[in-house]
Amino acid sequence: MPKFQYKALRRNGSTVSGEIEAADQDAAYLAIEKRQLSPFSLVERRDSPLMNFLRARKVTRKDQSAFIRQLATLLKAGVGLLEAMKSLAKSNANPALAKCADAIRSDLRAGQRLSESLETHMQDLPRYVPRLAELGEATGTLAKALADASERMEFEDSMRSEIRGALSYPLFLAGVGGLIVILMFLFVVPRFDALIGNHRDNLPAISKVVIATGVWMKGHIPLFLAMAGVFTASAIFMVRNKAVREWFRSTAEKTPVIGSFLIQSEIGGWARTMGIALDNGADILTALRLGSSGLQSRELKSGIEGARSEIRAGRNIDEVLEEHLPAMDALSIDLIRTGRNSGALADMLLFVADTKEKETRERAKGLTAIAEPAAILFIAMIVGTIVLSIVLAMTSLYDFDI
């Protein structure tokens, strides 16, 4: 919505200036006059492209979860949906989210549902958020559904933050170590090539490879930098490409340690979403559909879809999950069976989610704990190989034993 800078007269004749947000200039005049002021200057504020660029900030998952949490809080407090969106558009520090709130408010005025508008204007949201919003609209529990969705988003964001924080130092070590290795190849190894001269016939194979690599890098620095740039750009492209990310994830799920961590984390998220859906009034088939919407694992998605078909045919959920989800442990199956028999399936699924999320945190800490020594060991092996190759070259050149 445009913003206007104004100057106006108070009733006592004094001058006042300020800024007001309105749909157009006429609406701005009316809004100022409602404040018992007489405007004599009204100019729309137009920011320069440079200012817009400087103010622009990427919308993070944390920003999104805070947005959904604030919306749920406003709705729970009895604020209407249109008024809540207006409040979020004005108060949000992120211009992109403020713009989204304005766009969603326009859609709501046109009769569109919140869930549809969230999918349109906030496409980076996890898929379960608009689906839970749709469920909340159908059952009259929109505020609770959004609060539950934001809670899951906050947990996922905290997990990512913990893992990133734990990996930051190992990554720093790996970066510094890699730089040291490159500098050794550029400035240290070529010096030994000059010392060896033409006496290369008796050099060990590893020494020949290391020295030849250093000489090549020293003589082709522009080409080496170009290759490094291409490699970096390719890595960034692969990280941002959805198909590549899915392939990497599918491959990682098949590894012994990391695969188990990813699968159990996914099961915890599925149980959380399904429990939330049941707690908000969804039937079991709808809850299964909502639960699978947040899954990234193709294997788990396929298993859930197969289970959903058999539950539709009348079978019990614990039986079909045991058949279609072999990765789900016996304790979780027993808890789901108990929940089905006692009529407290939602509570049991949320308990399974809490258990899995706790296990995920512990496994994440265990995996990140070995990242630092692994990075040190990897760099030490590379540096050690370079040093050993140089020592072997010098000893073979001067023919003495060590």
Side-chain angles (χ1 to χ4, degrees), residues 163-370:
I163 293 174
R164 281 197 298 264
L167 290 177
S168 59
Y169 185 58
L171 289 174
F172 171 76
L173 288 177
V176 172
L179 180 61
I180 291 172
V181 169
I182 292 172
L183 293 176
M184 289 182 70
F185 272 119
L186 288 175
F187 301 107
V188 178
V189 174
R191 290 178 178 270
F192 288 92
D193 177 66
L195 289 174
I196 293 170
N198 296 323
H199 305 285
R200 302 188 182 189
D201 294 338
N202 296 327
L203 294 182
I206 188 172
S207 300
K208 291 180 181 179
V209 171
V210 169
I211 292 173
T213 302
V215 171
W216 183 89
M217 288 177 63
K218 180 72 174 180
H220 302 82
I221 291 179
L223 179 58
F224 169 72
L225 293 176
M227 291 173 62
V230 171
F231 175 80
T232 303
S234 300
I236 293 173
F237 170 78
M238 287 190 294
V239 168
R240 294 182 176 179
N241 186 276
K242 183 178 179 181
V244 175
R245 287 201 308 269
E246 289 179 352
W247 180 84
F248 272 113
R249 183 180 180 88
S250 178
T251 304
E253 286 177 2
K254 298 174 184 177
T255 59
V257 178
I258 298 177
S260 175
F261 167 76
L262 293 174
I263 292 293
Q264 295 306 315
S265 175
E266 285 271 86
I267 290 175
W270 166 82
R272 171 74 62 191
T273 304
M274 190 170 172
I276 289 171
L278 291 172
D279 196 40
N280 281 277
D283 60 80
I284 193 167
L285 292 174
T286 302
L288 280 165
R289 178 174 59 84
L290 283 172
S292 63
S293 68
L295 291 174
Q296 298 182 46
S297 170
R298 293 180 180 178
E299 181 182 348
L300 288 179
K301 270 191 174 183
S302 176
I304 293 296
E305 286 304 314
R308 190 163 176 261
S309 298
E310 296 200 25
I311 291 171
R312 187 185 289 110
R315 293 190 63 190
N316 294 324
I317 181 173
D318 50 287
E319 297 172 357
V320 296
L321 288 179
E322 191 172 13
E323 292 177 9
H324 290 273
L325 294 182
M328 184 172 285
D329 58 278
L331 177 60
S332 298
I333 295 293
D334 286 340
L335 288 170
I336 292 173
R337 183 179 296 112
T338 302
R340 175 180 61 81
N341 292 330
S342 64
L345 183 57
D347 293 336
M348 286 301 176
L349 283 166
L350 292 173
F351 181 76
V352 169
D354 290 337
T355 304
K356 293 294 181 184
E357 288 167 0
K358 185 178 179 181
E359 291 176 1
T360 299
R361 286 184 183 274
E362 292 173 353
R363 289 192 181 194
K365 289 178 181 178
L367 290 172
T368 53
I370 65 174

